[in-house]
Amino acid sequence: KITIIANYVPGQLPQGGPNYYSFGENIRYEIHIDNNIATNGDDIIYRFTFQKKNEDPSTFFNIRLGKQNLKTSYVMERSMNGGKSFTKVVSDGIVPPPNIGPRSISSPVGLSTPDYNTLIEKSIAKASTGEKVFCGTADDPFFVDLGGIFDLGDAPRASGKPVDGLKCLNVSTIALQIDISTLQKDRKPVS
């Protein structure tokens, strides 16, 4: 297996309401893979389109009484011919809501889910072509001393200790786990 991760919109506050971060509905997210140098352009393309549904327009809370105001789902398509044609391989993917807090996630007035990890696990989809996919927010994996960088390039810091400017902040993530034989240009297994 190969895992490919694409991150978008860094620096998100997990509890960042009332206008929570989410994937755009008027954007096509694509992951391009070039696995054959003999062909022009990319050979494999994964395409994602997202849509939101407001399940409870009577409140400004994002989560309340088992409903979500920004319930997000997606469709994933795959092209194996450089984008000439696409096949829908996930038709009803689920994006977990932001991890606002325990009352929104676990309590009876929220989603009544045991914990946030349960929401993550339930949102991992298996494509009809075998790929596993996750779309949602995740802890930003990068360490960057933003203060040092923007203090006239004081990185590494001439004096003082670097501080992770992205600590406890999220990114919007698309993660794919793909069989190597799918990515290998001649569809050969690992062996």
Side-chain angles (χ1 to χ4, degrees):
K1 306 276 186 198
I2 295 287
T3 301
I4 297 174
I5 298 174
N7 288 326
Y8 305 90
V9 190
Q12 301 176 19
L13 287 170
Q15 72 283 6
N19 302 315
Y20 296 92
Y21 294 94
S22 62
F23 291 99
E25 292 181 279
N26 59 346
I27 298 169
R28 185 181 320 170
Y29 297 83
E30 293 185 344
I31 295 173
H32 290 240
I33 299 161
D34 185 356
N35 68 351
N36 187 350
I37 61 170
T39 61
N40 288 328
D42 300 318
D43 301 294
I44 302 170
I45 301 169
Y46 290 94
R47 177 183 287 171
F48 298 81
T49 52
F50 295 86
Q51 61 182 5
K52 295 177 206 155
K53 180 181 180 184
N54 186 344
E55 294 181 317
D56 185 3
S58 69
T59 182
F60 78 97
F61 289 114
N62 187 37
I63 296 171
R64 186 177 75 137
L65 301 173
K67 296 180 180 177
Q68 298 177 50
N69 275 351
L70 297 172
K71 188 169 188 172
T72 306
S73 60
Y74 65 92
V75 169
M76 180 176 104
E77 299 171 284
R78 182 179 86 172
S79 173
M80 298 298 286
N81 58 12
K84 293 179 185 135
S85 64
F86 283 86
T87 302
K88 190 183 296 184
V89 295
V90 174
S91 58
D92 56 355
I94 298 168
V95 176
N99 190 5
I100 300 165
R103 187 168 162 88
S104 292
I105 302 303
S106 302
S107 79
V109 295
L111 292 177
S112 296
T113 304
D115 56 33
Y116 194 69
N117 286 336
T118 301
L119 289 174
I120 297 287
E121 290 297 322
K122 285 182 178 180
S123 69
I124 297 171
K126 182 148 186 175
S128 61
T129 48
E131 298 89 345
K132 284 173 70 174
V133 61
F134 168 78
C135 297
T137 55
D139 186 22
D140 196 312
F142 293 102
F143 180 101
V144 62
D145 184 2
L146 292 170
I149 295 293
F150 292 109
D151 186 14
L152 299 176
D154 187 18
R157 298 241 181 179
S159 62
K161 185 177 176 184
V163 175
D164 184 3
L166 298 175
K167 182 179 180 181
C168 298
L169 298 177
N170 287 344
V171 293
S172 294
T173 296
I174 296 175
L176 289 168
Q177 188 178 64
I178 309 167
D179 286 330
I180 290 173
S181 61
T182 300
L183 298 176
Q184 205 277 334
K185 71 177 179 150
D186 298 319
R187 307 288 180 260
K188 294 180 180 177
V190 175
S191 61

